[in-house]
């Protein structure tokens, strides 16, 4: 019997329906597996080709020499059950069925055949009708777009596009993903299996879930209770409105259910709920990289007065406390900061602040202010910001959350440095503060 | 007496406090004016240098030969009133005072001296204590970061950083700005003067305003009434919470005032209000590029079922009508689309959709469906999307709003093509739909 470990850590992969034409899915996936740096053996299967992308092509799965762990299937639906049988006989442990044309268009019988074949041989199946998966620890990108940047976020998605968008953003920002899995019709592997897998995956620090309906409510509760204590889970679940529910029903035949009930469950289990894709990304970034602060008191340190105000307004709406500075901290800050700084919370270092001024301000306030954490807004081209944040994180005990905006080329350089150094940076004060709100409300108390 | 026209269309500029060291503001601004492609004459002023950045340097403003329209001042505050006097005697029409150290740190007397000098000579002043301005029709970037990409959005901001961030995003996306102006202390030119200027500026199609307080409530109402009918205005105004109001008071000594009253004014005058910087950007992008649809009925056309659902949920919350398709349109669509498409609203063309399928679907539905506008979501790598959208815009009367996500390299290429072609693209379904909500609620009925 194959396991999810066999899916993600497969040492050999066949792509059935591999194609030589660059626009075809059977070409794109094969190319992404190769270009992604996969170290296992890769076998295109296509009876009409000798080689594809420089690899020897086989007419059938059976013809492939040696053992085979995983089969990626990109051929018309009617051939899929037979392929699962053939693979099963060969000892294949898992299959990813990209092909559509099953239950989602009313072909429930064909999907049942697929299930039966898989059950006969103990083959685990992802899909059918899905966008595949990517697992960066194994450099195995059996999906699109090609993303090779590894990181702490695992994405499980009932929408291929939502998963792809999350992976792309994480790659562009160089924070990376551990895995991205498209659920498709969930004929075998479902979101609970995957949550369990990533909860035990050492690379994954946070699980992002896009899900349209929950078939097994009790199982969901049980799983979230068990995983919630170990790893944070962020969920985006649409169907909050009547028309949204209808759209859910016609997309994946799921029942969105009562949004109030789901919201209650999230609150009870301290699952972090995102209200849109942007929040799914931001909250996962916060939970994947940051420690939960010991309390809600935030000191905002900024070079941009306006950004400090926007952060304050948002904080108030998220239950974060932008507490007034105590007199002693004010005195200490006055001693070390130039006269044009506005000593308060927000602490406005003003537009002529350099990175060293942030270091001075934060080190001073960390000693006396009682702030549970710092929100640093770099609102100008401030070279050296990354080095200062990196060194502050090593010297003070409070968590530091960073926002950078308006800094032109310098911003791009500094944000890249921070992301490569494992420090998440948010692009606006409001997105940063909302992410902190999610972090404070999250379940797990301690994270590395 | 100088006018704002003289500020923005200056044919000669002096930078007083120009510096040879690359980190100094007096260097950065001079370099940005040069690198921005300004065609007028540029004169660095610094008594200690012969040349800076290859330009002949003058010891004083008086020493500059010929006429001089605009002076950018980056020297300590105490010298500024004298410089305005000197410039005034030379016939300078306008000054941008970057230098801080006036009213904002309690030096009201010095700011009054500055005002008096400006009044004596009829010199218009932007600032002091501001981040300068950029006006792309004149290729004059007297601020930072350097942004040269021209476009329809004018940004007026009491925060230099908010203005800079907006300009940067617009440049990165290649949608561009007409102008960006930082208000600073508003000793002379204020937001109402600038709104009036950009309302008459032919390049500007939408005015984005970040403002912390309104000094002259009656004047504000009058101006917005007058401008609102001609050009849309989007406002981000913080101070929605008590602590936000306090932060406003210590940043710019403004009175944020009652948020309920301000909200009422916005509703009455149909000013578009943004709740955060992201919305300020998105709403300006929508209002700067798109026609207001004739009604609220939206047909969502997508390759991503999940994204269609997220769009639907958000639409319901924004008062946009994702109306069911009528039977005739369903029949017509069934005739022209493959069997795996889900015929409804959202209209799910599914993950194997190419650009041609979007064309077929939209052309067909445009004839019979009664939709006031189309929301096209490209949720996969779909080459040719830009060409299809471009040609649909020429052939159907309904407005088309575009979202693109999850498409990897193809997405980057297609989005760039659309932005260069004047078609705004939103990065998530929710951000796109919220921007449509703002468009529908906006004041002006007709825009080119």
């Amino acid at each position: 019997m194959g396991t999810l470990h066999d899916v993600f850590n497969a040492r050999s992969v066949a792509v059935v329906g591999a194609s030589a034409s660059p626009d075809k899915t059977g070409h794109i996936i094969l190319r992404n597996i190769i270009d992604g740096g996969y170290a296992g053996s890769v076998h295109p299967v296509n009876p009409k080709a000798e080689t594809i992308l420089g690899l020897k092509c086989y007419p059938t799965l059976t013809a492939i020499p040696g053992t085979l762990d995983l089969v990626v299937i990109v051929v018309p639906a009617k051939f899929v059950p037979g392929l699962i049988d053939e693979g099963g006989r060969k000892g294949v442990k898992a299959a990813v069925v990209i092909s559509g044309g099953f239950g989602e268009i009313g072909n429930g019988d064909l999907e049942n055949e697929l299930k039966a074949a898989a059950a006969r041989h103990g083959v685990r199946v992802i899909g059918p009708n899905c966008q595949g998966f990517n697992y960066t620890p194994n450099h195995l990108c059996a999906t699109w777009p090609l993303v090779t940047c590894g990181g702490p976020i695992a994405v499980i998605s009932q929408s291929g596009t939502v998963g792809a968008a999350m992976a792309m953003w994480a790659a562009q920002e160089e924070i990376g993903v551990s895995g991205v899995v498209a659920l498709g019709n969930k004929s075998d592997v479902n979101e609970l299996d995957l949550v369990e897998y990533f909860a035990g995956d050492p690379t994954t620090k946070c699980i992002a879930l896009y899900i349209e309906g929950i078939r097994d409510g009790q199982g969901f509760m049980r799983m979230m209770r068990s995983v919630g204590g170990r790893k944070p889970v962020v969920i985006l679940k649409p169907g909050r409105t009547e028309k949204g529910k209808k759209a859910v029903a016609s997309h994946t035949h799921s029942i969105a259910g009562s949004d109030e009930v789901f919201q209650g469950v999230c609150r009870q289990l301290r699952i972090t709920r995102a209200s849109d894709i942007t929040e799914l990304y931001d909250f996962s970034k916060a939970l994947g990289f940051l420690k939960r602060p010991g309390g809600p008191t935030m000191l905002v340190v900024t070079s941009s007065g306006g950004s400090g105000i926007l952060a304050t307004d948002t904080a108030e709406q998220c239950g974060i406390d932008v507490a007034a500075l105590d007199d002693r901290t004010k005195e200490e800050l006055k001693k070390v900061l130039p006269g044009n700084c506005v000593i308060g919370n927000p602490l406005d270092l003003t537009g002529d602040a350099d990175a060293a001024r942030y270091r001075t301000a934060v080190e001073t306030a960390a000693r006396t202010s009682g702030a549970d954490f710092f929100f640093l807004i770099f609102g100008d081209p401030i070279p050296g910001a990354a080095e200062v944040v990196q060194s502050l994180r090593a010297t003070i005990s409070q968590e530091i959350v960073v926002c950078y905006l308006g800094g032109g080329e310098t911003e791009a350089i500094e944000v890249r440095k921070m992301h490569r150094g494992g420090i998440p940076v948010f692009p606006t004060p409001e997105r940063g503060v909302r992410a902190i709100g999610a972090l404070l409300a999250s379940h797990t108390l301690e994270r590395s």
Side-chain angles (χ1 to χ4, degrees), chain A residues 61 71 73 79-90 92 94-97 113-125:
Chain A
L61 283 174
V71 178
I73 301 178
F79 301 117
V80 176
L83 281 163
I84 300 283
D85 256 328
E86 188 189 352
R89 283 194 301 270
K90 194 179 159 55
V92 160
V96 182
V97 183
E113 279 183 49
L114 184 166
K115 279 190 208 182
R120 265 196 299 281
H121 302 284
V123 173
R124 298 307 304 261
V125 174

PDB file of all heavy atoms in Angstrom, chain A residues 61 71 73 79-90 92 94-97 113-125:
ATOM      1  N   LEU A  61       3.764   1.839 -19.555  1.00  0.00           N
ATOM      2  CA  LEU A  61       4.388   1.810 -18.217  1.00  0.00           C
ATOM      3  C   LEU A  61       5.188   0.519 -18.036  1.00  0.00           C
ATOM      4  O   LEU A  61       6.290   0.506 -17.486  1.00  0.00           O
ATOM      5  CB  LEU A  61       3.299   1.883 -17.143  1.00  0.00           C
ATOM      6  CG  LEU A  61       2.676   3.261 -16.894  1.00  0.00           C
ATOM      7  CD1 LEU A  61       1.519   3.131 -15.901  1.00  0.00           C
ATOM      8  CD2 LEU A  61       3.724   4.239 -16.371  1.00  0.00           C
ATOM      9  N   VAL A  71       3.361   7.740 -10.967  1.00  0.00           N
ATOM     10  CA  VAL A  71       2.926   7.954 -12.345  1.00  0.00           C
ATOM     11  C   VAL A  71       2.115   9.251 -12.414  1.00  0.00           C
ATOM     12  O   VAL A  71       1.174   9.436 -11.627  1.00  0.00           O
ATOM     13  CB  VAL A  71       2.038   6.782 -12.829  1.00  0.00           C
ATOM     14  CG1 VAL A  71       1.559   7.038 -14.253  1.00  0.00           C
ATOM     15  CG2 VAL A  71       2.800   5.483 -12.748  1.00  0.00           C
ATOM     16  N   ILE A  73      -0.368  11.246 -14.808  1.00  0.00           N
ATOM     17  CA  ILE A  73      -1.212  10.859 -15.946  1.00  0.00           C
ATOM     18  C   ILE A  73      -1.876  12.076 -16.581  1.00  0.00           C
ATOM     19  O   ILE A  73      -2.586  12.833 -15.921  1.00  0.00           O
ATOM     20  CB  ILE A  73      -2.275   9.831 -15.505  1.00  0.00           C
ATOM     21  CG1 ILE A  73      -1.568   8.590 -14.932  1.00  0.00           C
ATOM     22  CG2 ILE A  73      -3.189   9.461 -16.666  1.00  0.00           C
ATOM     23  CD1 ILE A  73      -2.511   7.517 -14.419  1.00  0.00           C
ATOM     24  N   PHE A  79      -8.755   6.262 -20.496  1.00  0.00           N
ATOM     25  CA  PHE A  79      -7.590   5.371 -20.385  1.00  0.00           C
ATOM     26  C   PHE A  79      -7.055   5.259 -18.956  1.00  0.00           C
ATOM     27  O   PHE A  79      -6.188   4.432 -18.682  1.00  0.00           O
ATOM     28  CB  PHE A  79      -6.447   5.876 -21.283  1.00  0.00           C
ATOM     29  CG  PHE A  79      -6.808   5.962 -22.733  1.00  0.00           C
ATOM     30  CD1 PHE A  79      -6.814   7.169 -23.399  1.00  0.00           C
ATOM     31  CD2 PHE A  79      -7.154   4.789 -23.431  1.00  0.00           C
ATOM     32  CE1 PHE A  79      -7.150   7.243 -24.738  1.00  0.00           C
ATOM     33  CE2 PHE A  79      -7.500   4.855 -24.781  1.00  0.00           C
ATOM     34  CZ  PHE A  79      -7.503   6.084 -25.439  1.00  0.00           C
ATOM     35  N   VAL A  80      -7.558   6.109 -18.064  1.00  0.00           N
ATOM     36  CA  VAL A  80      -6.910   6.233 -16.753  1.00  0.00           C
ATOM     37  C   VAL A  80      -7.046   4.985 -15.878  1.00  0.00           C
ATOM     38  O   VAL A  80      -6.049   4.483 -15.343  1.00  0.00           O
ATOM     39  CB  VAL A  80      -7.381   7.519 -16.030  1.00  0.00           C
ATOM     40  CG1 VAL A  80      -6.789   7.589 -14.626  1.00  0.00           C
ATOM     41  CG2 VAL A  80      -6.972   8.755 -16.838  1.00  0.00           C
ATOM     42  N   PRO A  81      -8.288   4.387 -15.743  1.00  0.00           N
ATOM     43  CA  PRO A  81      -8.371   3.201 -14.888  1.00  0.00           C
ATOM     44  C   PRO A  81      -7.429   2.091 -15.356  1.00  0.00           C
ATOM     45  O   PRO A  81      -6.754   1.457 -14.523  1.00  0.00           O
ATOM     46  CB  PRO A  81      -9.842   2.789 -15.015  1.00  0.00           C
ATOM     47  CG  PRO A  81     -10.556   4.066 -15.342  1.00  0.00           C
ATOM     48  CD  PRO A  81      -9.612   4.826 -16.226  1.00  0.00           C
ATOM     49  N   GLY A  82      -7.332   1.875 -16.647  1.00  0.00           N
ATOM     50  CA  GLY A  82      -6.429   0.855 -17.177  1.00  0.00           C
ATOM     51  C   GLY A  82      -4.975   1.142 -16.826  1.00  0.00           C
ATOM     52  O   GLY A  82      -4.199   0.234 -16.504  1.00  0.00           O
ATOM     53  N   LEU A  83      -4.611   2.419 -16.868  1.00  0.00           N
ATOM     54  CA  LEU A  83      -3.237   2.805 -16.538  1.00  0.00           C
ATOM     55  C   LEU A  83      -2.925   2.564 -15.061  1.00  0.00           C
ATOM     56  O   LEU A  83      -1.818   2.164 -14.703  1.00  0.00           O
ATOM     57  CB  LEU A  83      -3.006   4.278 -16.880  1.00  0.00           C
ATOM     58  CG  LEU A  83      -2.753   4.560 -18.364  1.00  0.00           C
ATOM     59  CD1 LEU A  83      -2.950   6.039 -18.664  1.00  0.00           C
ATOM     60  CD2 LEU A  83      -1.341   4.108 -18.747  1.00  0.00           C
ATOM     61  N   ILE A  84      -3.919   2.823 -14.225  1.00  0.00           N
ATOM     62  CA  ILE A  84      -3.718   2.587 -12.789  1.00  0.00           C
ATOM     63  C   ILE A  84      -3.495   1.084 -12.567  1.00  0.00           C
ATOM     64  O   ILE A  84      -2.605   0.669 -11.809  1.00  0.00           O
ATOM     65  CB  ILE A  84      -4.945   3.066 -11.970  1.00  0.00           C
ATOM     66  CG1 ILE A  84      -5.181   4.564 -12.184  1.00  0.00           C
ATOM     67  CG2 ILE A  84      -4.785   2.721 -10.493  1.00  0.00           C
ATOM     68  CD1 ILE A  84      -4.259   5.492 -11.440  1.00  0.00           C
ATOM     69  N   ASP A  85      -4.286   0.268 -13.273  1.00  0.00           N
ATOM     70  CA  ASP A  85      -4.119  -1.191 -13.179  1.00  0.00           C
ATOM     71  C   ASP A  85      -2.721  -1.610 -13.625  1.00  0.00           C
ATOM     72  O   ASP A  85      -2.030  -2.350 -12.930  1.00  0.00           O
ATOM     73  CB  ASP A  85      -5.158  -1.889 -14.074  1.00  0.00           C
ATOM     74  CG  ASP A  85      -6.302  -2.472 -13.255  1.00  0.00           C
ATOM     75  OD1 ASP A  85      -6.060  -2.886 -12.105  1.00  0.00           O
ATOM     76  OD2 ASP A  85      -7.439  -2.491 -13.777  1.00  0.00           O
ATOM     77  N   GLU A  86      -2.339  -1.089 -14.789  1.00  0.00           N
ATOM     78  CA  GLU A  86      -1.028  -1.441 -15.324  1.00  0.00           C
ATOM     79  C   GLU A  86       0.080  -1.022 -14.365  1.00  0.00           C
ATOM     80  O   GLU A  86       1.008  -1.785 -14.080  1.00  0.00           O
ATOM     81  CB  GLU A  86      -0.831  -0.770 -16.697  1.00  0.00           C
ATOM     82  CG  GLU A  86       0.429  -1.234 -17.417  1.00  0.00           C
ATOM     83  CD  GLU A  86       0.731  -0.414 -18.672  1.00  0.00           C
ATOM     84  OE1 GLU A  86      -0.114   0.419 -19.071  1.00  0.00           O
ATOM     85  OE2 GLU A  86       1.827  -0.598 -19.234  1.00  0.00           O
ATOM     86  N   GLY A  87      -0.043   0.217 -13.869  1.00  0.00           N
ATOM     87  CA  GLY A  87       0.953   0.717 -12.920  1.00  0.00           C
ATOM     88  C   GLY A  87       0.965  -0.138 -11.657  1.00  0.00           C
ATOM     89  O   GLY A  87       2.028  -0.486 -11.138  1.00  0.00           O
ATOM     90  N   GLY A  88      -0.244  -0.450 -11.164  1.00  0.00           N
ATOM     91  CA  GLY A  88      -0.341  -1.256  -9.940  1.00  0.00           C
ATOM     92  C   GLY A  88       0.382  -2.590 -10.098  1.00  0.00           C
ATOM     93  O   GLY A  88       1.115  -3.028  -9.208  1.00  0.00           O
ATOM     94  N   ARG A  89       0.184  -3.220 -11.253  1.00  0.00           N
ATOM     95  CA  ARG A  89       0.845  -4.504 -11.493  1.00  0.00           C
ATOM     96  C   ARG A  89       2.364  -4.359 -11.498  1.00  0.00           C
ATOM     97  O   ARG A  89       3.098  -5.246 -11.125  1.00  0.00           O
ATOM     98  CB  ARG A  89       0.369  -5.102 -12.820  1.00  0.00           C
ATOM     99  CG  ARG A  89      -1.023  -5.741 -12.722  1.00  0.00           C
ATOM    100  CD  ARG A  89      -1.341  -6.613 -13.944  1.00  0.00           C
ATOM    101  NE  ARG A  89      -1.297  -5.851 -15.186  1.00  0.00           N
ATOM    102  CZ  ARG A  89      -2.349  -5.221 -15.732  1.00  0.00           C
ATOM    103  NH1 ARG A  89      -3.546  -5.280 -15.158  1.00  0.00           N
ATOM    104  NH2 ARG A  89      -2.216  -4.546 -16.851  1.00  0.00           N
ATOM    105  N   LYS A  90       2.823  -3.199 -11.905  1.00  0.00           N
ATOM    106  CA  LYS A  90       4.262  -2.943 -11.961  1.00  0.00           C
ATOM    107  C   LYS A  90       4.832  -2.528 -10.591  1.00  0.00           C
ATOM    108  O   LYS A  90       6.030  -2.342 -10.420  1.00  0.00           O
ATOM    109  CB  LYS A  90       4.527  -1.830 -12.989  1.00  0.00           C
ATOM    110  CG  LYS A  90       5.984  -1.706 -13.370  1.00  0.00           C
ATOM    111  CD  LYS A  90       6.251  -0.635 -14.380  1.00  0.00           C
ATOM    112  CE  LYS A  90       7.722  -0.224 -14.340  1.00  0.00           C
ATOM    113  NZ  LYS A  90       8.662  -1.345 -14.524  1.00  0.00           N
ATOM    114  N   VAL A  92       3.811   0.301  -8.914  1.00  0.00           N
ATOM    115  CA  VAL A  92       3.714   1.758  -8.701  1.00  0.00           C
ATOM    116  C   VAL A  92       2.963   2.037  -7.401  1.00  0.00           C
ATOM    117  O   VAL A  92       1.986   1.369  -7.095  1.00  0.00           O
ATOM    118  CB  VAL A  92       2.975   2.393  -9.908  1.00  0.00           C
ATOM    119  CG1 VAL A  92       2.399   3.753  -9.568  1.00  0.00           C
ATOM    120  CG2 VAL A  92       3.921   2.464 -11.109  1.00  0.00           C
ATOM    121  N   ALA A  94       2.000   5.291  -6.330  1.00  0.00           N
ATOM    122  CA  ALA A  94       1.120   6.461  -6.338  1.00  0.00           C
ATOM    123  C   ALA A  94       0.925   7.007  -7.742  1.00  0.00           C
ATOM    124  O   ALA A  94       1.768   6.821  -8.615  1.00  0.00           O
ATOM    125  CB  ALA A  94       1.694   7.559  -5.442  1.00  0.00           C
ATOM    126  N   ALA A  95      -0.215   7.676  -7.938  1.00  0.00           N
ATOM    127  CA  ALA A  95      -0.510   8.293  -9.238  1.00  0.00           C
ATOM    128  C   ALA A  95      -1.075   9.686  -9.012  1.00  0.00           C
ATOM    129  O   ALA A  95      -1.812   9.924  -8.050  1.00  0.00           O
ATOM    130  CB  ALA A  95      -1.522   7.445 -10.006  1.00  0.00           C
ATOM    131  N   VAL A  96      -0.705  10.590  -9.908  1.00  0.00           N
ATOM    132  CA  VAL A  96      -1.298  11.925  -9.931  1.00  0.00           C
ATOM    133  C   VAL A  96      -2.060  12.019 -11.236  1.00  0.00           C
ATOM    134  O   VAL A  96      -1.457  11.944 -12.312  1.00  0.00           O
ATOM    135  CB  VAL A  96      -0.216  13.018  -9.884  1.00  0.00           C
ATOM    136  CG1 VAL A  96      -0.865  14.388  -9.861  1.00  0.00           C
ATOM    137  CG2 VAL A  96       0.672  12.832  -8.680  1.00  0.00           C
ATOM    138  N   VAL A  97      -3.372  12.150 -11.129  1.00  0.00           N
ATOM    139  CA  VAL A  97      -4.188  12.169 -12.345  1.00  0.00           C
ATOM    140  C   VAL A  97      -4.577  13.614 -12.659  1.00  0.00           C
ATOM    141  O   VAL A  97      -5.445  14.202 -12.003  1.00  0.00           O
ATOM    142  CB  VAL A  97      -5.430  11.264 -12.202  1.00  0.00           C
ATOM    143  CG1 VAL A  97      -6.209  11.249 -13.517  1.00  0.00           C
ATOM    144  CG2 VAL A  97      -5.015   9.855 -11.788  1.00  0.00           C
ATOM    145  N   GLU A 113     -14.415   3.433 -11.376  1.00  0.00           N
ATOM    146  CA  GLU A 113     -13.466   2.459 -11.944  1.00  0.00           C
ATOM    147  C   GLU A 113     -12.040   2.794 -11.532  1.00  0.00           C
ATOM    148  O   GLU A 113     -11.245   1.924 -11.180  1.00  0.00           O
ATOM    149  CB  GLU A 113     -13.534   2.472 -13.479  1.00  0.00           C
ATOM    150  CG  GLU A 113     -14.678   1.683 -14.069  1.00  0.00           C
ATOM    151  CD  GLU A 113     -14.595   1.716 -15.596  1.00  0.00           C
ATOM    152  OE1 GLU A 113     -13.503   1.445 -16.151  1.00  0.00           O
ATOM    153  OE2 GLU A 113     -15.613   2.049 -16.233  1.00  0.00           O
ATOM    154  N   LEU A 114     -11.733   4.092 -11.625  1.00  0.00           N
ATOM    155  CA  LEU A 114     -10.397   4.565 -11.227  1.00  0.00           C
ATOM    156  C   LEU A 114     -10.135   4.196  -9.764  1.00  0.00           C
ATOM    157  O   LEU A 114      -9.090   3.635  -9.415  1.00  0.00           O
ATOM    158  CB  LEU A 114     -10.334   6.076 -11.438  1.00  0.00           C
ATOM    159  CG  LEU A 114      -9.038   6.850 -11.192  1.00  0.00           C
ATOM    160  CD1 LEU A 114      -9.160   8.239 -11.807  1.00  0.00           C
ATOM    161  CD2 LEU A 114      -8.677   7.003  -9.728  1.00  0.00           C
ATOM    162  N   LYS A 115     -11.122   4.483  -8.909  1.00  0.00           N
ATOM    163  CA  LYS A 115     -10.977   4.192  -7.481  1.00  0.00           C
ATOM    164  C   LYS A 115     -10.765   2.707  -7.241  1.00  0.00           C
ATOM    165  O   LYS A 115      -9.927   2.297  -6.430  1.00  0.00           O
ATOM    166  CB  LYS A 115     -12.253   4.609  -6.731  1.00  0.00           C
ATOM    167  CG  LYS A 115     -12.346   6.066  -6.409  1.00  0.00           C
ATOM    168  CD  LYS A 115     -13.531   6.267  -5.445  1.00  0.00           C
ATOM    169  CE  LYS A 115     -14.109   7.649  -5.610  1.00  0.00           C
ATOM    170  NZ  LYS A 115     -15.220   7.901  -4.672  1.00  0.00           N
ATOM    171  N   ALA A 116     -11.549   1.899  -7.943  1.00  0.00           N
ATOM    172  CA  ALA A 116     -11.462   0.449  -7.746  1.00  0.00           C
ATOM    173  C   ALA A 116     -10.087  -0.069  -8.144  1.00  0.00           C
ATOM    174  O   ALA A 116      -9.476  -0.875  -7.432  1.00  0.00           O
ATOM    175  CB  ALA A 116     -12.554  -0.251  -8.555  1.00  0.00           C
ATOM    176  N   ALA A 117      -9.584   0.428  -9.279  1.00  0.00           N
ATOM    177  CA  ALA A 117      -8.260  -0.003  -9.733  1.00  0.00           C
ATOM    178  C   ALA A 117      -7.204   0.385  -8.708  1.00  0.00           C
ATOM    179  O   ALA A 117      -6.306  -0.404  -8.372  1.00  0.00           O
ATOM    180  CB  ALA A 117      -7.940   0.626 -11.095  1.00  0.00           C
ATOM    181  N   ALA A 118      -7.314   1.612  -8.206  1.00  0.00           N
ATOM    182  CA  ALA A 118      -6.342   2.082  -7.216  1.00  0.00           C
ATOM    183  C   ALA A 118      -6.411   1.231  -5.953  1.00  0.00           C
ATOM    184  O   ALA A 118      -5.380   0.844  -5.384  1.00  0.00           O
ATOM    185  CB  ALA A 118      -6.594   3.558  -6.902  1.00  0.00           C
ATOM    186  N   ALA A 119      -7.640   0.913  -5.529  1.00  0.00           N
ATOM    187  CA  ALA A 119      -7.811   0.131  -4.304  1.00  0.00           C
ATOM    188  C   ALA A 119      -7.234  -1.274  -4.465  1.00  0.00           C
ATOM    189  O   ALA A 119      -6.602  -1.808  -3.550  1.00  0.00           O
ATOM    190  CB  ALA A 119      -9.293   0.073  -3.935  1.00  0.00           C
ATOM    191  N   ARG A 120      -7.467  -1.867  -5.644  1.00  0.00           N
ATOM    192  CA  ARG A 120      -6.965  -3.226  -5.895  1.00  0.00           C
ATOM    193  C   ARG A 120      -5.464  -3.332  -5.658  1.00  0.00           C
ATOM    194  O   ARG A 120      -4.971  -4.319  -5.137  1.00  0.00           O
ATOM    195  CB  ARG A 120      -7.225  -3.597  -7.369  1.00  0.00           C
ATOM    196  CG  ARG A 120      -8.501  -4.366  -7.605  1.00  0.00           C
ATOM    197  CD  ARG A 120      -8.517  -5.038  -8.979  1.00  0.00           C
ATOM    198  NE  ARG A 120      -8.435  -4.139 -10.119  1.00  0.00           N
ATOM    199  CZ  ARG A 120      -9.474  -3.428 -10.598  1.00  0.00           C
ATOM    200  NH1 ARG A 120     -10.667  -3.494 -10.023  1.00  0.00           N
ATOM    201  NH2 ARG A 120      -9.311  -2.642 -11.636  1.00  0.00           N
ATOM    202  N   HIS A 121      -4.746  -2.280  -6.072  1.00  0.00           N
ATOM    203  CA  HIS A 121      -3.273  -2.361  -6.033  1.00  0.00           C
ATOM    204  C   HIS A 121      -2.669  -1.526  -4.913  1.00  0.00           C
ATOM    205  O   HIS A 121      -1.452  -1.440  -4.802  1.00  0.00           O
ATOM    206  CB  HIS A 121      -2.701  -1.898  -7.373  1.00  0.00           C
ATOM    207  CG  HIS A 121      -3.198  -2.687  -8.540  1.00  0.00           C
ATOM    208  ND1 HIS A 121      -2.729  -3.957  -8.820  1.00  0.00           N
ATOM    209  CD2 HIS A 121      -4.137  -2.410  -9.484  1.00  0.00           C
ATOM    210  CE1 HIS A 121      -3.354  -4.407  -9.911  1.00  0.00           C
ATOM    211  NE2 HIS A 121      -4.216  -3.495 -10.322  1.00  0.00           N
ATOM    212  N   GLY A 122      -3.523  -0.876  -4.133  1.00  0.00           N
ATOM    213  CA  GLY A 122      -2.966  -0.027  -3.070  1.00  0.00           C
ATOM    214  C   GLY A 122      -2.217   1.178  -3.605  1.00  0.00           C
ATOM    215  O   GLY A 122      -1.256   1.649  -3.006  1.00  0.00           O
ATOM    216  N   VAL A 123      -2.676   1.682  -4.761  1.00  0.00           N
ATOM    217  CA  VAL A 123      -2.049   2.880  -5.335  1.00  0.00           C
ATOM    218  C   VAL A 123      -2.754   4.114  -4.765  1.00  0.00           C
ATOM    219  O   VAL A 123      -3.976   4.224  -4.841  1.00  0.00           O
ATOM    220  CB  VAL A 123      -2.172   2.870  -6.879  1.00  0.00           C
ATOM    221  CG1 VAL A 123      -1.680   4.194  -7.478  1.00  0.00           C
ATOM    222  CG2 VAL A 123      -1.408   1.696  -7.461  1.00  0.00           C
ATOM    223  N   ARG A 124      -1.975   5.044  -4.191  1.00  0.00           N
ATOM    224  CA  ARG A 124      -2.573   6.299  -3.726  1.00  0.00           C
ATOM    225  C   ARG A 124      -2.756   7.237  -4.913  1.00  0.00           C
ATOM    226  O   ARG A 124      -1.876   7.320  -5.780  1.00  0.00           O
ATOM    227  CB  ARG A 124      -1.682   7.003  -2.679  1.00  0.00           C
ATOM    228  CG  ARG A 124      -1.443   6.228  -1.401  1.00  0.00           C
ATOM    229  CD  ARG A 124      -2.709   5.746  -0.728  1.00  0.00           C
ATOM    230  NE  ARG A 124      -3.713   6.745  -0.402  1.00  0.00           N
ATOM    231  CZ  ARG A 124      -3.861   7.289   0.805  1.00  0.00           C
ATOM    232  NH1 ARG A 124      -3.052   6.975   1.790  1.00  0.00           N
ATOM    233  NH2 ARG A 124      -4.832   8.158   1.047  1.00  0.00           N
ATOM    234  N   VAL A 125      -3.884   7.928  -4.955  1.00  0.00           N
ATOM    235  CA  VAL A 125      -4.190   8.780  -6.110  1.00  0.00           C
ATOM    236  C   VAL A 125      -4.437  10.225  -5.666  1.00  0.00           C
ATOM    237  O   VAL A 125      -5.255  10.469  -4.775  1.00  0.00           O
ATOM    238  CB  VAL A 125      -5.428   8.254  -6.871  1.00  0.00           C
ATOM    239  CG1 VAL A 125      -5.826   9.226  -7.990  1.00  0.00           C
ATOM    240  CG2 VAL A 125      -5.150   6.875  -7.450  1.00  0.00           C
TER     241      VAL A 125
END
